[in-house]
Amino acid sequence: MITKEEVQHIAKLARIQLSREQVEKFQKELSQVLDYFTILQEVDVLSVEPLTHSIEVKNVLREDEPRKADPEVVQKLLGMAPEQKDGFLKVKSVF
């Protein structure tokens, strides 16, 4: 079981103040947590492959295929731009 002094030391490291009742409460709770870790250490995990994520994560990609846009929509959008050149929006240089 974790001692009251250890609980007070942990509280000091966490920069929290605990009352006597809280020290006793956390002494029991922290001891239970540490006991649970000893149970977990007994589990045989040699045949289990390590995980990097709890669920399978993969990129879902699609082919980058050009699509024809409706010329009327393109002209309407370009008409809203303050400046354009050769069918493209003209913007200030970034660098």
Coordinates of all heavy atoms in Angstrom, one line a residue:
M1 N 0.9 -1.2 0.0 CA 0.0 0.0 0.0 C 0.9 1.2 0.0 O 1.9 1.3 0.7 CB -0.9 0.0 1.2 CG -1.8 1.2 1.3 SD -3.0 1.1 2.7 CE -4.5 1.2 1.8
I2 N 0.5 2.2 -0.7 CA 1.2 3.5 -0.8 C 1.1 4.2 0.5 O 0.0 4.2 1.1 CB 0.7 4.3 -2.0 CG1 1.6 5.5 -2.3 CG2 -0.7 4.8 -1.8 CD1 1.3 6.2 -3.6
T3 N 2.1 4.9 0.9 CA 2.1 5.5 2.2 C 1.5 6.9 2.1 O 1.4 7.5 1.0 CB 3.5 5.7 2.8 OG1 4.3 6.5 2.0 CG2 4.2 4.3 3.0
K4 N 1.1 7.5 3.3 CA 0.6 8.8 3.3 C 1.6 9.9 2.8 O 1.3 10.8 2.2 CB 0.0 9.2 4.7 CG -1.2 8.4 5.1 CD -1.7 8.8 6.4 CE -2.9 7.9 6.8 NZ -3.4 8.2 8.1
E5 N 2.9 9.6 3.2 CA 3.9 10.5 2.8 C 4.1 10.5 1.3 O 4.4 11.5 0.7 CB 5.3 10.1 3.5 CG 5.3 10.3 5.0 CD 4.5 9.3 5.8 OE1 4.3 8.2 5.3 OE2 4.1 9.6 6.9
E6 N 4.0 9.3 0.7 CA 4.1 9.3 -0.8 C 2.9 10.0 -1.4 O 3.1 10.7 -2.4 CB 4.1 7.8 -1.2 CG 5.4 7.1 -0.9 CD 5.3 5.6 -1.2 OE1 4.3 5.0 -0.9 OE2 6.3 5.1 -1.6
V7 N 1.7 9.9 -0.9 CA 0.6 10.7 -1.4 C 0.8 12.2 -1.3 O 0.6 12.9 -2.2 CB -0.7 10.3 -0.7 CG1 -1.9 11.2 -1.1 CG2 -1.1 8.8 -1.0
Q8 N 1.4 12.6 -0.1 CA 1.7 14.0 0.1 C 2.8 14.5 -0.9 O 2.7 15.6 -1.4 CB 2.0 14.3 1.5 CG 0.9 14.1 2.5 CD 1.3 14.1 3.9 OE1 2.4 13.7 4.3 NE2 0.3 14.4 4.8
H9 N 3.7 13.6 -1.1 CA 4.8 14.0 -2.1 C 4.2 14.1 -3.5 O 4.6 15.1 -4.2 CB 5.9 12.9 -2.0 CG 7.0 13.2 -3.0 ND1 7.9 14.2 -2.8 CD2 7.4 12.5 -4.1 CE1 8.8 14.2 -3.8 NE2 8.5 13.2 -4.6
I10 N 3.4 13.2 -3.9 CA 2.7 13.3 -5.2 C 1.9 14.5 -5.3 O 1.9 15.2 -6.3 CB 1.9 12.0 -5.5 CG1 2.8 10.8 -5.6 CG2 1.0 12.2 -6.7 CD1 2.1 9.5 -5.6
A11 N 1.2 14.9 -4.2 CA 0.4 16.1 -4.2 C 1.2 17.3 -4.3 O 0.9 18.3 -5.1 CB -0.5 16.2 -3.0
K12 N 2.4 17.3 -3.7 CA 3.3 18.4 -3.8 C 3.9 18.6 -5.2 O 3.9 19.7 -5.7 CB 4.5 18.2 -2.8 CG 5.5 19.4 -2.8 CD 6.6 19.1 -1.8 CE 7.6 20.3 -1.8 NZ 8.7 20.0 -0.9
L13 N 4.2 17.4 -5.8 CA 4.7 17.5 -7.2 C 3.6 18.0 -8.2 O 3.9 18.7 -9.1 CB 5.1 16.1 -7.7 CG 6.4 15.5 -7.0 CD1 6.6 14.1 -7.4 CD2 7.6 16.4 -7.3
A14 N 2.3 17.6 -7.9 CA 1.2 18.1 -8.7 C 0.8 19.5 -8.3 O -0.2 20.1 -8.9 CB 0.0 17.1 -8.6
R15 N 1.4 20.0 -7.3 CA 1.0 21.4 -6.8 C -0.4 21.5 -6.4 O -1.1 22.5 -6.8 CB 1.5 22.4 -7.8 CG 2.9 22.5 -8.0 CD 3.4 23.5 -8.9 NE 4.8 23.4 -9.1 CZ 5.5 24.2 -9.8 NH1 4.9 25.2 -10.5 NH2 6.8 24.1 -9.9
I16 N -0.9 20.5 -5.7 CA -2.2 20.6 -5.1 C -2.2 20.4 -3.6 O -1.3 19.7 -3.1 CB -3.2 19.5 -5.8 CG1 -2.6 18.1 -5.6 CG2 -3.4 19.8 -7.2 CD1 -3.5 17.0 -6.1
Q17 N -3.1 20.9 -2.9 CA -3.2 20.8 -1.5 C -4.3 19.8 -1.2 O -5.4 19.8 -1.7 CB -3.5 22.1 -0.8 CG -2.5 22.7 0.0 CD -2.8 24.0 0.6 OE1 -3.7 24.7 0.2 NE2 -2.2 24.3 1.7
L18 N -4.0 18.9 -0.3 CA -4.9 17.8 0.1 C -5.2 17.9 1.6 O -4.3 18.1 2.4 CB -4.4 16.4 -0.2 CG -4.1 16.1 -1.7 CD1 -3.5 14.7 -1.8 CD2 -5.4 16.2 -2.5
S19 N -6.5 17.7 2.0 CA -6.8 17.6 3.4 C -6.4 16.2 3.9 O -6.1 15.3 3.1 CB -8.3 17.9 3.6 OG -9.0 16.8 3.0
R20 N -6.5 16.0 5.2 CA -6.2 14.7 5.7 C -7.1 13.6 5.2 O -6.7 12.5 4.9 CB -6.3 14.7 7.3 CG -5.2 15.5 7.9 CD -5.3 15.4 9.4 NE -4.2 16.2 10.0 CZ -4.2 16.6 11.2 NH1 -5.2 16.3 12.0 NH2 -3.2 17.3 11.7
E21 N -8.4 14.0 5.0 CA -9.4 13.0 4.5 C -9.0 12.7 3.0 O -9.1 11.5 2.6 CB -10.8 13.6 4.5 CG -11.3 13.8 6.0 CD -10.8 15.1 6.5 OE1 -10.5 16.1 5.8 OE2 -10.8 15.2 7.8
Q22 N -8.6 13.7 2.3 CA -8.3 13.4 0.9 C -7.0 12.6 0.8 O -6.9 11.7 -0.1 CB -8.1 14.8 0.1 CG -9.4 15.5 -0.1 CD -9.1 16.9 -0.7 OE1 -8.2 17.6 -0.3 NE2 -10.0 17.3 -1.6
V23 N -6.0 12.8 1.7 CA -4.8 12.0 1.7 C -5.2 10.5 1.9 O -4.7 9.6 1.2 CB -3.8 12.5 2.7 CG1 -2.7 11.5 2.9 CG2 -3.3 13.9 2.3
E24 N -6.0 10.3 2.9 CA -6.4 8.9 3.1 C -7.2 8.3 2.0 O -7.0 7.1 1.6 CB -7.3 8.8 4.4 CG -6.5 9.1 5.7 CD -7.4 9.2 6.9 OE1 -8.6 8.9 6.8 OE2 -6.8 9.7 7.9
K25 N -8.1 9.1 1.4 CA -8.9 8.6 0.2 C -7.9 8.3 -1.0 O -8.0 7.2 -1.6 CB -9.9 9.7 -0.2 CG -10.6 9.4 -1.5 CD -11.5 10.6 -1.9 CE -12.1 10.4 -3.3 NZ -12.7 11.6 -3.8
F26 N -7.0 9.2 -1.3 CA -6.1 9.0 -2.4 C -5.1 7.9 -2.1 O -4.6 7.2 -3.0 CB -5.4 10.3 -2.8 CG -6.3 11.2 -3.5 CD1 -6.5 12.5 -3.1 CD2 -6.9 10.8 -4.7 CE1 -7.4 13.4 -3.7 CE2 -7.8 11.7 -5.4 CZ -8.0 13.0 -4.9
Q27 N -4.8 7.7 -0.8 CA -3.9 6.6 -0.5 C -4.5 5.3 -0.9 O -3.9 4.4 -1.5 CB -3.6 6.6 1.0 CG -2.7 5.5 1.5 CD -2.5 5.5 3.0 OE1 -3.2 6.2 3.8 NE2 -1.5 4.8 3.5
K28 N -5.8 5.1 -0.6 CA -6.5 3.9 -1.0 C -6.6 3.8 -2.5 O -6.4 2.7 -3.1 CB -7.9 3.9 -0.3 CG -7.8 3.7 1.2 CD -9.2 3.8 1.8 CE -9.1 3.9 3.3 NZ -10.4 4.2 3.9
E29 N -7.1 4.9 -3.1 CA -7.3 4.8 -4.6 C -6.0 4.6 -5.4 O -6.0 3.8 -6.3 CB -8.0 6.1 -5.0 CG -9.4 6.2 -4.5 CD -10.1 7.5 -5.0 OE1 -9.5 8.3 -5.7 OE2 -11.3 7.7 -4.6
L30 N -5.0 5.3 -5.0 CA -3.7 5.1 -5.7 C -3.1 3.7 -5.5 O -2.6 3.1 -6.4 CB -2.7 6.2 -5.3 CG -2.9 7.6 -5.8 CD1 -2.0 8.6 -5.1 CD2 -2.8 7.7 -7.3
S31 N -3.3 3.2 -4.3 CA -2.9 1.8 -4.0 C -3.7 0.8 -4.9 O -3.1 -0.2 -5.4 CB -3.1 1.4 -2.6 OG -2.3 2.2 -1.8
Q32 N -5.0 1.1 -5.1 CA -5.8 0.2 -6.0 C -5.3 0.3 -7.4 O -5.2 -0.7 -8.1 CB -7.3 0.6 -5.9 CG -7.9 0.2 -4.6 CD -9.4 0.8 -4.5 OE1 -9.8 1.6 -5.3 NE2 -10.1 0.2 -3.6
V33 N -5.0 1.5 -7.9 CA -4.4 1.6 -9.2 C -3.1 0.8 -9.4 O -2.9 0.1 -10.4 CB -4.2 3.1 -9.6 CG1 -3.5 3.3 -10.9 CG2 -5.6 3.8 -9.6
L34 N -2.2 1.0 -8.4 CA -1.0 0.3 -8.5 C -1.2 -1.2 -8.4 O -0.4 -2.0 -9.1 CB 0.0 0.8 -7.4 CG 0.4 2.2 -7.6 CD1 1.3 2.6 -6.4 CD2 1.2 2.4 -8.9
D35 N -2.1 -1.7 -7.6 CA -2.4 -3.1 -7.6 C -2.9 -3.6 -8.9 O -2.6 -4.7 -9.3 CB -3.4 -3.4 -6.5 CG -2.9 -3.2 -5.1 OD1 -1.6 -3.2 -4.9 OD2 -3.7 -3.0 -4.1
Y36 N -3.7 -2.8 -9.6 CA -4.2 -3.2 -10.9 C -3.1 -3.3 -11.9 O -3.1 -4.2 -12.7 CB -5.3 -2.2 -11.4 CG -5.9 -2.6 -12.6 CD1 -6.8 -3.7 -12.6 CD2 -5.7 -2.0 -13.8 CE1 -7.5 -4.1 -13.8 CE2 -6.3 -2.4 -15.0 CZ -7.2 -3.4 -15.0 OH -7.8 -3.9 -16.1
F37 N -2.1 -2.5 -11.8 CA -0.9 -2.6 -12.7 C -0.2 -3.9 -12.4 O 0.4 -4.5 -13.4 CB 0.0 -1.4 -12.6 CG -0.4 -0.2 -13.4 CD1 -1.1 0.9 -12.8 CD2 -0.2 -0.2 -14.8 CE1 -1.5 1.9 -13.6 CE2 -0.7 0.8 -15.6 CZ -1.3 1.9 -15.0
T38 N -0.1 -4.3 -11.2 CA 0.6 -5.6 -10.9 C -0.2 -6.8 -11.6 O 0.4 -7.7 -12.1 CB 0.8 -5.9 -9.4 OG1 -0.5 -5.8 -8.8 CG2 1.7 -4.8 -8.8
I39 N -1.5 -6.7 -11.6 CA -2.3 -7.7 -12.2 C -2.1 -7.7 -13.7 O -1.9 -8.7 -14.4 CB -3.8 -7.5 -11.9 CG1 -4.1 -7.7 -10.5 CG2 -4.7 -8.4 -12.8 CD1 -5.5 -7.3 -10.0
L40 N -2.0 -6.5 -14.3 CA -1.7 -6.3 -15.8 C -0.4 -6.9 -16.2 O -0.2 -7.4 -17.2 CB -1.9 -4.9 -16.2 CG -3.3 -4.3 -16.2 CD1 -3.2 -2.8 -16.6 CD2 -4.1 -5.1 -17.2
Q41 N 0.6 -6.8 -15.3 CA 2.0 -7.3 -15.6 C 2.0 -8.8 -15.7 O 2.9 -9.3 -16.3 CB 2.9 -6.8 -14.5 CG 3.3 -5.3 -14.6 CD 4.2 -4.9 -13.5 OE1 4.4 -5.5 -12.5 NE2 4.9 -3.8 -13.7
E42 N 1.0 -9.5 -15.1 CA 1.0 -10.9 -15.1 C 0.4 -11.4 -16.5 O 0.5 -12.6 -16.7 CB 0.1 -11.4 -14.0 CG 0.8 -11.1 -12.6 CD -0.1 -11.5 -11.5 OE1 -1.2 -12.1 -11.7 OE2 0.2 -11.2 -10.3
V43 N -0.2 -10.6 -17.2 CA -0.9 -11.0 -18.5 C 0.2 -11.3 -19.5 O 1.2 -10.6 -19.7 CB -1.8 -9.9 -19.0 CG1 -2.4 -10.3 -20.4 CG2 -2.9 -9.6 -18.0
D44 N 0.1 -12.5 -20.2 CA 1.0 -12.9 -21.2 C 0.7 -12.1 -22.5 O -0.3 -12.3 -23.2 CB 0.9 -14.4 -21.5 CG 1.9 -14.9 -22.5 OD1 2.9 -14.2 -22.7 OD2 1.6 -15.9 -23.1
V45 N 1.6 -11.2 -22.9 CA 1.4 -10.5 -24.1 C 2.5 -10.7 -25.2 O 2.6 -10.0 -26.1 CB 1.3 -8.9 -23.8 CG1 0.1 -8.6 -23.0 CG2 2.6 -8.5 -23.1
L46 N 3.2 -11.8 -25.0 CA 4.3 -12.1 -25.9 C 3.8 -12.4 -27.4 O 4.5 -12.0 -28.3 CB 5.2 -13.2 -25.4 CG 6.0 -12.9 -24.2 CD1 6.7 -14.2 -23.7 CD2 6.9 -11.8 -24.4
S47 N 2.6 -12.9 -27.5 CA 2.1 -13.3 -28.8 C 1.3 -12.2 -29.4 O 0.8 -12.3 -30.5 CB 1.3 -14.6 -28.7 OG 0.2 -14.4 -27.8
V48 N 1.1 -11.1 -28.7 CA 0.3 -9.9 -29.2 C 1.2 -8.9 -29.9 O 2.2 -8.5 -29.4 CB -0.4 -9.3 -28.0 CG1 -1.3 -8.1 -28.5 CG2 -1.3 -10.3 -27.3
E49 N 0.8 -8.6 -31.1 CA 1.6 -7.6 -31.9 C 1.3 -6.2 -31.3 O 0.1 -5.8 -31.0 CB 1.2 -7.7 -33.3 CG 2.1 -6.9 -34.2 CD 1.8 -7.2 -35.7 OE1 1.4 -8.3 -36.0 OE2 1.9 -6.2 -36.5
P50 N 2.3 -5.4 -31.1 CA 2.1 -4.0 -30.6 C 1.2 -3.2 -31.5 O 1.3 -3.3 -32.7 CB 3.5 -3.4 -30.5 CG 4.4 -4.6 -30.6 CD 3.7 -5.6 -31.4
L51 N 0.4 -2.3 -30.9 CA -0.5 -1.4 -31.6 C 0.1 0.0 -31.7 O 0.7 0.4 -30.7 CB -1.8 -1.4 -31.0 CG -2.7 -2.6 -31.0 CD1 -3.9 -2.4 -30.2 CD2 -3.0 -3.0 -32.4
T52 N -0.1 0.7 -32.7 CA 0.2 2.1 -32.8 C -1.1 2.9 -32.6 O -1.0 4.1 -32.4 CB 0.9 2.5 -34.1 OG1 0.1 2.1 -35.2 CG2 2.3 1.8 -34.2
H53 N -2.2 2.3 -32.9 CA -3.5 3.0 -32.8 C -4.5 1.9 -32.4 O -4.4 0.8 -32.7 CB -3.9 3.6 -34.1 CG -4.8 4.7 -34.0 ND1 -6.1 4.6 -33.9 CD2 -4.6 6.1 -34.0 CE1 -6.8 5.7 -33.8 NE2 -5.8 6.7 -33.8
S54 N -5.6 2.3 -31.7 CA -6.5 1.4 -31.2 C -7.4 0.8 -32.3 O -8.0 -0.3 -32.1 CB -7.4 2.0 -30.1 OG -8.1 3.1 -30.6
I55 N -7.6 1.6 -33.4 CA -8.4 1.1 -34.5 C -7.5 1.2 -35.7 O -6.5 1.9 -35.8 CB -9.7 1.9 -34.7 CG1 -9.4 3.4 -35.0 CG2 -10.6 1.7 -33.6 CD1 -10.6 4.2 -35.4
E56 N -7.8 0.4 -36.7 CA -7.0 0.4 -38.0 C -7.2 1.7 -38.7 O -8.3 2.1 -38.9 CB -7.4 -0.8 -38.9 CG -6.5 -0.9 -40.1 CD -6.9 -2.0 -41.0 OE1 -7.8 -2.8 -40.6 OE2 -6.3 -2.1 -42.1
V57 N -6.1 2.4 -39.0 CA -6.2 3.6 -39.7 C -5.4 3.5 -41.0 O -4.3 3.0 -41.0 CB -5.5 4.7 -38.8 CG1 -5.5 6.1 -39.5 CG2 -6.2 4.9 -37.5
K58 N -6.1 3.9 -42.0 CA -5.4 3.9 -43.3 C -5.9 5.1 -44.2 O -7.0 5.6 -44.0 CB -5.7 2.6 -44.1 CG -7.1 2.3 -44.4 CD -7.3 1.0 -45.1 CE -8.7 0.7 -45.4 NZ -9.0 -0.5 -46.1
N59 N -5.1 5.5 -45.0 CA -5.5 6.6 -45.9 C -6.4 6.1 -47.0 O -6.1 5.0 -47.6 CB -4.2 7.3 -46.6 CG -3.4 8.1 -45.6 OD1 -4.0 8.6 -44.6 ND2 -2.2 8.2 -45.8
V60 N -7.4 6.8 -47.2 CA -8.3 6.5 -48.3 C -8.1 7.5 -49.4 O -8.4 8.7 -49.3 CB -9.8 6.6 -47.9 CG1 -10.7 6.2 -49.0 CG2 -10.0 5.6 -46.7
L61 N -7.5 7.0 -50.5 CA -7.1 7.9 -51.6 C -7.9 7.6 -52.8 O -8.3 6.5 -53.0 CB -5.6 7.8 -51.9 CG -4.7 8.0 -50.7 CD1 -3.2 7.7 -51.1 CD2 -4.8 9.5 -50.2
R62 N -8.0 8.6 -53.6 CA -8.7 8.3 -54.9 C -7.8 8.9 -56.0 O -6.9 9.7 -55.7 CB -10.1 9.0 -55.0 CG -10.0 10.5 -54.9 CD -11.4 11.1 -55.1 NE -11.4 12.5 -54.8 CZ -10.9 13.5 -55.6 NH1 -10.4 13.2 -56.7 NH2 -11.0 14.8 -55.2
E63 N -8.0 8.5 -57.2 CA -7.2 9.0 -58.3 C -7.5 10.5 -58.5 O -8.6 10.9 -58.4 CB -7.5 8.2 -59.6 CG -7.0 6.8 -59.5 CD -5.5 6.7 -59.4 OE1 -4.8 7.4 -60.1 OE2 -5.0 5.8 -58.7
D64 N -6.5 11.2 -58.8 CA -6.6 12.6 -59.1 C -6.9 12.8 -60.6 O -6.0 12.8 -61.4 CB -5.4 13.4 -58.7 CG -5.6 14.9 -58.7 OD1 -6.7 15.3 -58.8 OD2 -4.6 15.6 -58.7
E65 N -8.2 12.9 -60.9 CA -8.6 12.9 -62.3 C -9.1 14.3 -62.6 O -10.0 14.8 -61.9 CB -9.6 11.9 -62.6 CG -9.2 10.4 -62.4 CD -10.3 9.4 -62.5 OE1 -11.4 9.8 -62.7 OE2 -10.0 8.2 -62.4
P66 N -8.7 14.9 -63.7 CA -9.2 16.2 -64.1 C -10.7 16.1 -64.5 O -11.1 15.1 -65.1 CB -8.3 16.7 -65.2 CG -7.7 15.4 -65.8 CD -7.7 14.4 -64.6
R67 N -11.5 17.1 -64.2 CA -12.9 17.1 -64.6 C -13.2 18.4 -65.3 O -12.6 19.4 -64.9 CB -13.8 17.0 -63.3 CG -13.7 15.6 -62.6 CD -14.6 15.5 -61.5 NE -14.2 16.4 -60.4 CZ -14.9 16.7 -59.3 NH1 -16.0 16.1 -59.1 NH2 -14.4 17.4 -58.3
K68 N -14.0 18.3 -66.3 CA -14.4 19.5 -67.0 C -15.5 20.2 -66.2 O -16.4 19.7 -65.6 CB -15.0 19.1 -68.4 CG -14.0 18.6 -69.3 CD -13.2 19.7 -69.8 CE -12.2 19.2 -70.9 NZ -11.3 20.2 -71.3
A69 N -15.2 21.5 -66.1 CA -16.2 22.4 -65.4 C -17.1 23.0 -66.4 O -16.8 23.2 -67.5 CB -15.4 23.4 -64.6
D70 N -18.3 23.4 -65.9 CA -19.3 24.0 -66.7 C -18.7 25.4 -67.1 O -18.4 26.2 -66.2 CB -20.6 24.2 -65.9 CG -21.7 24.8 -66.8 OD1 -21.5 25.0 -68.0 OD2 -22.8 25.0 -66.2
P71 N -18.5 25.7 -68.3 CA -18.0 27.0 -68.7 C -18.7 28.2 -68.2 O -18.1 29.2 -67.9 CB -18.0 27.0 -70.3 CG -18.2 25.5 -70.6 CD -18.8 24.9 -69.5
E72 N -20.0 28.1 -68.1 CA -20.8 29.2 -67.6 C -20.5 29.5 -66.2 O -20.4 30.7 -65.7 CB -22.3 28.9 -67.8 CG -22.8 28.9 -69.2 CD -24.3 28.6 -69.3 OE1 -25.0 28.8 -68.3 OE2 -24.7 28.2 -70.4
V73 N -20.4 28.4 -65.4 CA -20.1 28.6 -64.0 C -18.7 29.2 -63.8 O -18.4 30.1 -63.0 CB -20.2 27.2 -63.2 CG1 -19.7 27.4 -61.8 CG2 -21.6 26.7 -63.3
V74 N -17.7 28.7 -64.6 CA -16.4 29.3 -64.6 C -16.4 30.7 -64.9 O -15.7 31.5 -64.2 CB -15.4 28.5 -65.6 CG1 -14.1 29.1 -65.7 CG2 -15.3 27.0 -65.1
Q75 N -17.0 31.1 -65.9 CA -17.1 32.6 -66.3 C -17.8 33.4 -65.2 O -17.3 34.5 -64.9 CB -17.8 32.7 -67.6 CG -17.0 32.3 -68.8 CD -15.6 33.0 -68.9 OE1 -15.5 34.2 -68.7 NE2 -14.6 32.2 -69.1
K76 N -18.8 32.9 -64.6 CA -19.5 33.6 -63.5 C -18.6 33.8 -62.3 O -18.5 34.9 -61.8 CB -20.8 32.8 -63.1 CG -21.6 33.5 -62.2 CD -22.9 32.7 -61.9 CE -23.8 33.5 -60.9 NZ -25.0 32.7 -60.6
L77 N -17.8 32.7 -62.0 CA -16.9 32.8 -60.8 C -15.8 33.8 -61.2 O -15.4 34.6 -60.3 CB -16.4 31.5 -60.5 CG -17.4 30.5 -59.8 CD1 -16.8 29.1 -59.7 CD2 -17.8 31.0 -58.5
L78 N -15.2 33.7 -62.4 CA -14.1 34.6 -62.7 C -14.6 36.0 -62.8 O -13.9 36.9 -62.5 CB -13.5 34.2 -64.1 CG -12.6 32.9 -64.1 CD1 -12.3 32.5 -65.5 CD2 -11.4 33.2 -63.2
G79 N -15.9 36.2 -63.2 CA -16.4 37.6 -63.2 C -16.5 38.2 -61.8 O -16.6 39.4 -61.7
M80 N -16.6 37.4 -60.8 CA -16.7 37.9 -59.4 C -15.3 38.3 -58.9 O -15.3 39.0 -57.9 CB -17.3 36.9 -58.5 CG -18.8 36.7 -58.7 SD -19.4 35.6 -57.4 CE -20.1 34.3 -58.4
A81 N -14.3 37.8 -59.5 CA -12.9 38.1 -59.0 C -12.5 39.5 -59.3 O -12.9 40.0 -60.4 CB -11.9 37.1 -59.6
P82 N -11.7 40.2 -58.4 CA -11.3 41.5 -58.7 C -10.4 41.6 -59.9 O -10.5 42.5 -60.7 CB -10.6 42.0 -57.5 CG -10.5 40.8 -56.5 CD -11.3 39.7 -57.1
E83 N -9.5 40.6 -60.1 CA -8.6 40.6 -61.3 C -8.5 39.1 -61.8 O -8.5 38.2 -61.1 CB -7.2 41.1 -60.9 CG -7.1 42.5 -60.6 CD -5.7 43.0 -60.3 OE1 -4.9 42.8 -61.2 OE2 -5.4 43.5 -59.2
Q84 N -8.3 39.1 -63.1 CA -8.0 37.8 -63.8 C -7.1 37.9 -64.9 O -7.0 39.0 -65.5 CB -9.4 37.1 -64.2 CG -10.2 37.9 -65.2 CD -11.4 37.2 -65.6 OE1 -11.3 36.1 -66.1 NE2 -12.6 37.8 -65.5
K85 N -6.5 36.8 -65.3 CA -5.5 36.9 -66.4 C -5.5 35.5 -67.1 O -5.3 34.5 -66.4 CB -4.1 37.2 -66.0 CG -3.1 37.3 -67.1 CD -1.8 37.8 -66.5 CE -0.8 37.9 -67.7 NZ 0.5 38.3 -67.2
D86 N -5.8 35.4 -68.4 CA -5.8 34.2 -69.1 C -6.7 33.1 -68.5 O -6.4 31.9 -68.5 CB -4.4 33.6 -69.3 CG -3.4 34.6 -70.0 OD1 -3.9 35.4 -70.9 OD2 -2.2 34.6 -69.7
G87 N -7.8 33.5 -68.0 CA -8.8 32.5 -67.5 C -8.5 32.1 -66.1 O -9.1 31.1 -65.6
F88 N -7.5 32.7 -65.4 CA -7.2 32.4 -64.0 C -7.3 33.6 -63.1 O -7.3 34.7 -63.6 CB -5.7 31.9 -63.9 CG -5.5 30.6 -64.7 CD1 -4.9 30.6 -66.0 CD2 -5.8 29.4 -64.1 CE1 -4.7 29.5 -66.7 CE2 -5.6 28.2 -64.8 CZ -5.0 28.3 -66.1
L89 N -7.5 33.3 -61.8 CA -7.5 34.4 -60.9 C -6.1 35.0 -60.7 O -5.2 34.3 -60.6 CB -8.0 33.9 -59.5 CG -9.4 33.3 -59.5 CD1 -9.7 32.9 -58.1 CD2 -10.5 34.3 -59.9
K90 N -6.1 36.3 -60.7 CA -4.8 37.0 -60.4 C -4.8 37.5 -59.0 O -5.7 38.2 -58.5 CB -4.7 38.2 -61.4 CG -3.3 38.8 -61.4 CD -3.2 39.9 -62.4 CE -1.9 40.6 -62.3 NZ -1.7 41.7 -63.3
V91 N -3.7 37.0 -58.3 CA -3.6 37.4 -56.9 C -2.2 38.0 -56.6 O -1.3 37.8 -57.4 CB -3.8 36.2 -55.9 CG1 -5.2 35.6 -56.1 CG2 -2.8 35.1 -56.3
K92 N -2.1 38.6 -55.5 CA -0.8 39.2 -55.2 C 0.2 38.1 -54.8 O -0.2 37.0 -54.4 CB -0.9 40.1 -53.9 CG -1.7 41.4 -54.2 CD -1.7 42.2 -53.0 CE -2.6 43.5 -53.2 NZ -2.7 44.3 -52.1
S93 N 1.5 38.3 -55.1 CA 2.5 37.2 -54.8 C 2.6 37.1 -53.3 O 2.5 38.0 -52.6 CB 3.8 37.6 -55.5 OG 4.3 38.8 -54.9
V94 N 2.8 35.8 -52.9 CA 2.9 35.5 -51.5 C 4.3 35.7 -51.0 O 4.5 36.2 -49.9 CB 2.5 34.0 -51.3 CG1 2.6 33.6 -49.9 CG2 1.1 33.8 -51.8
F95 N 5.3 35.5 -51.8 CA 6.7 35.6 -51.3 C 7.3 36.9 -51.7 O 7.1 37.4 -52.7 CB 7.5 34.4 -51.7 CG 7.0 33.1 -51.2 CD1 6.4 32.2 -52.0 CD2 7.3 32.8 -49.9 CE1 5.9 31.0 -51.5 CE2 6.8 31.6 -49.4 CZ 6.2 30.7 -50.2

